Amino acid sequence: MVTTHVLSEMKLKGEKISMLTSYDYSMARIVDQAGIDVILVGDSASNVMAGHETTLPITLDQMIYHAASVVRGVKRALVVVDMPFGSYQGNSKEALNSAIRIMKETAADAIKLEGGEEILESIQRILSAGIPVMGHLGLTPQSIHKFGTYAIRAKKEEEAEKLVHDAHLLEEAGCFAIVLEKIPAALAARVAQEVSIPVIGIGAGGGVDGQVLVIHDMLGINQEFSPRFLRRYHNLYAEISGAVGNYIADVK
Ligand code: KIV
């Protein structure tokens, strides 16, 4: 079983951490049995499962439904659940209530939320209830309307220094890991060296402690999304479309 303790040991030993998203029982079962270390029930479910443009519309109830389905398929991996937009930004009491609902109703292992200093009080309150927290800095998709673009973050010194400061705050607060999304590789490598907790990157170069991808993207189910950092390991769109075509031909 992968625990937060196992992840911190992996960082100490220099062993890289593998992480992928899953949103349902059947996929989570395959991903877990293939030996992944961490499964993220990402709020990217809002995009790849529900077809929304952004991660903002997905609700706490919907995340709980996805997460409970994933947990039923997993025996070994650590399961982390994204707290959706609107479930923790209001105040720390609301954040704690949302995190408790996720843990009680899904039996997941940990939660993830986006942001640094501005949500520190919520993070501290959730941690003090004994719930493991994974941070998420850099491109934080729940703030897309503030950023106005999905382009790389923290290229300028001021934003980079704030990110490093936030990473230290998350570590000091007691987060067990941090996701860094779409920031310069050198900055991500610096954070991974400066903090003692695992740093998992997505579009953040190879100098971090592990990598995460959205499973629909890496399997090639989602053909429209192709950022530079994305390595595709399969063309499942073509496979499924071919199989469906063969089935239709047989039926006809
Ligand atoms: O929701 C998600 O899939 C994520 C990953 C991109 C890290 O947060």
Side-chain angles (χ1 to χ4, degrees):
M1 287 254 302
V2 181
T3 60
T4 57
H5 180 70
V6 168
L7 298 183
S8 80
E9 295 275 295
M10 286 173 79
K11 170 150 183 160
L12 278 177
K13 288 190 253 171
E15 201 183 316
K16 299 279 182 178
I17 297 165
S18 60
M19 174 163 151
L20 277 174
T21 65
S22 294
Y23 316 98
D24 67 276
Y25 167 82
S26 302
M27 186 66 87
R29 200 159 162 264
I30 299 172
V31 171
D32 184 51
Q33 288 178 5
I36 203 82
D37 298 312
V38 184
I39 292 181
L40 172 66
V41 186
D43 59 355
S44 48
S46 179
N47 309 103
V48 297
M49 299 301 289
H52 292 298
E53 285 281 318
T54 72
T55 58
L56 275 69
I58 199 159
T59 66
L60 184 57
D61 284 339
Q62 288 165 341
M63 285 304 296
I64 287 172
Y65 169 78
H66 285 295
S69 309
V70 164
V71 169
R72 284 192 285 273
V74 174
K75 289 200 165 69
R76 178 184 168 275
L78 184 91
V79 179
V80 181
V81 182
D82 261 338
M83 295 187 64
F85 177 68
S87 71
Y88 61 95
Q89 291 92 345
N91 60 58
S92 62
K93 187 159 179 258
E94 191 182 359
L96 177 60
N97 287 340
S98 305
I100 287 176
R101 273 202 64 199
I102 291 174
M103 299 303 280
K104 258 190 192 298
E105 296 177 38
T106 73
D109 302 302
I111 59 96
K112 170 165 90 56
L113 29 68
E114 298 181 3
E117 192 162 12
E118 54 287 345
I119 55 152
L120 192 61
E121 195 186 311
S122 295
I123 291 176
Q124 285 164 334
R125 200 151 177 180
I126 294 168
L127 282 164
S128 65
I131 299 171
V133 175
M134 178 181 267
H136 184 156
L137 301 171
L139 178 71
T140 46
Q142 292 177 12
S143 304
I144 186 59
H145 295 304
K146 185 174 89 183
F147 297 149
T149 160
Y150 285 103
I152 191 162
R153 302 303 314 173
K155 273 164 80 174
K156 297 218 170 89
E157 197 183 334
E158 197 183 334
E159 194 179 338
E161 288 311 318
K162 176 179 171 0
L163 187 141
V164 173
H165 174 71
D166 281 344
H168 283 286
L169 284 182
L170 295 184
E171 179 185 22
E172 281 155 26
C175 290
F176 72 88
I178 303 172
V179 166
L180 293 182
E181 181 165 353
K182 263 193 146 180
I183 62 166
L187 177 62
R190 176 182 160 197
V191 173
Q193 272 169 10
E194 285 190 18
V195 301
S196 62
I197 55 175
V199 172
I200 317 284
I202 173 165
V208 287
D209 307 307
Q211 300 289 334
V212 56
L213 284 176
V214 170
I215 192 147
H216 287 61
D217 300 338
M218 61 82 75
L219 289 180
I221 298 176
N222 183 4
Q223 298 281 320
E224 289 82 39
F225 184 68
S226 52
R228 275 223 327 259
F229 69 80
L230 176 63
R231 190 184 295 176
R232 284 222 173 85
Y233 290 80
H234 204 62
N235 187 349
L236 210 51
Y237 181 95
E239 294 275 326
I240 295 174
S241 165
V244 173
N246 289 341
Y247 169 72
I248 293 169
D250 281 352
V251 172
K252 300 288 176 185

